[in-house]
Amino acid sequence: MAERFERLMPHVQVYGPDDAHPRPAILIFHGCGGIAANMAMYAQVAADIRVRVYVVDSYGPRGWSRKFGANFVCKGFKLRGFERSGDVLAMLWGLSRRYEVDPKRIMLAGWSHGAWAIMDLMTQELARPGEARLADPAPQWLDGVRGLFLAYPYINFMARSVTRPWHHKPPVFTVLTLKDHLASYKQSLRLVKGLRAQGVSVETMTLDSTHAFDEEGIDKTKIMRYDEAGLQSTLDAFGAFTKQVLL
């Protein structure tokens, strides 16, 4: 975990108060297209209420561009959710040990592929070497996670939450879309129902939007459309959930 954290941290964008006081923190994990401008918008919402935010770039440490991610990660050839879940755990390990972070008040937030990585982490006991593709995983680093914010999570082929139960069950707020081409709305509802049956508290917000609706310029893909009103609704929900679980 230490090695993974040391690789990732130089590529992390940090937002929040410029002080040394231990504060609640949010770890943000981007979608398969890499870090887009919308990540800064969400980060600023939390920073404005005195929460530290760490936007984690999973591509930079690997020497990958956003174009590479779109061609290989988005198509499932590289860095599947299970593999990337190690980034999530390693960042939890590293930031929980830093003086400026309150290790008992942490939220994980993921968009699409980032949500997949977070959800795959929840399915692992983290008691054996090799889980999350780490030599030394340990479940106690999830003890301080107070909530998961998941925007249009990838829950289709290869996503472990479809077939495996969660071993770790923090409260969840998920943003679902009616026009998501990667997983039908019915699939999403089935997964939500399954998680609730396991005892996971899941709150949902449904938008009449496409996958990646909150990323300006996404329209060029033809199957995804930018939705400014949907973005604002999601920013509001992100801020409200942050206050609910961290403040």
Side-chain angles (χ1 to χ4, degrees), residues 125-143:
E125 293 186 56
L126 304 174
R128 300 183 304 278
E131 288 190 285
R133 291 291 174 89
L134 294 169
D136 54 350
Q140 66 264 30
W141 300 108
L142 285 167
D143 290 349

Side-chain angles (χ1 to χ4, degrees), residues 27-32 81-82 84-85 88 108-122 148-155 159-161 166 172-175 191 211:
L27 281 61
I28 285 181
F29 296 87
H30 59 77
C32 68
F82 169 73
R84 193 179 176 199
S85 69
V88 182
L108 302 177
W111 278 253
S112 188
H113 192 286
W116 177 14
I118 292 169
M119 295 173 76
D120 269 19
L121 184 63
M122 298 302 118
L148 311 178
F149 185 91
L150 308 174
Y152 41 87
Y154 176 77
I155 55 150
R160 293 188 168 208
S161 292
W166 281 19
V172 174
F173 187 99
T174 185
V175 180
L191 182 58
H211 196 83

Side-chain angles (χ1 to χ4, degrees), residues 33-136:
I35 296 177
N38 58 338
M39 296 292 96
M41 298 180 189
Y42 291 100
Q44 195 58 52
V45 166
D48 287 345
I49 54 175
R50 313 295 286 173
V51 172
R52 302 195 192 283
V53 184
Y54 300 84
V55 181
V56 183
D57 180 0
S58 286
Y59 290 172
R62 294 174 169 90
W64 298 348
S65 65
R66 291 190 66 189
K67 183 177 180 180
F68 181 95
N71 287 330
F72 293 95
V73 180
C74 290
K75 296 176 182 177
F77 298 126
K78 295 278 190 179
L79 199 66
R80 294 170 181 173
F82 169 73
E83 299 172 80
R84 193 179 176 199
S85 69
D87 287 12
V88 182
L89 188 61
M91 288 303 302
L92 277 171
W93 175 88
L95 292 176
S96 294
R97 297 156 61 93
R98 294 173 73 109
Y99 64 86
E100 71 270 26
V101 173
D102 181 347
K104 296 181 180 179
R105 290 189 293 167
I106 295 178
M107 186 172 101
L108 302 177
W111 278 253
S112 188
H113 192 286
W116 177 14
I118 292 169
M119 295 173 76
D120 269 19
L121 184 63
M122 298 302 118
T123 69
Q124 300 171 71
E125 293 186 56
L126 304 174
R128 300 183 304 278
E131 288 190 285
R133 291 291 174 89
L134 294 169
D136 54 350

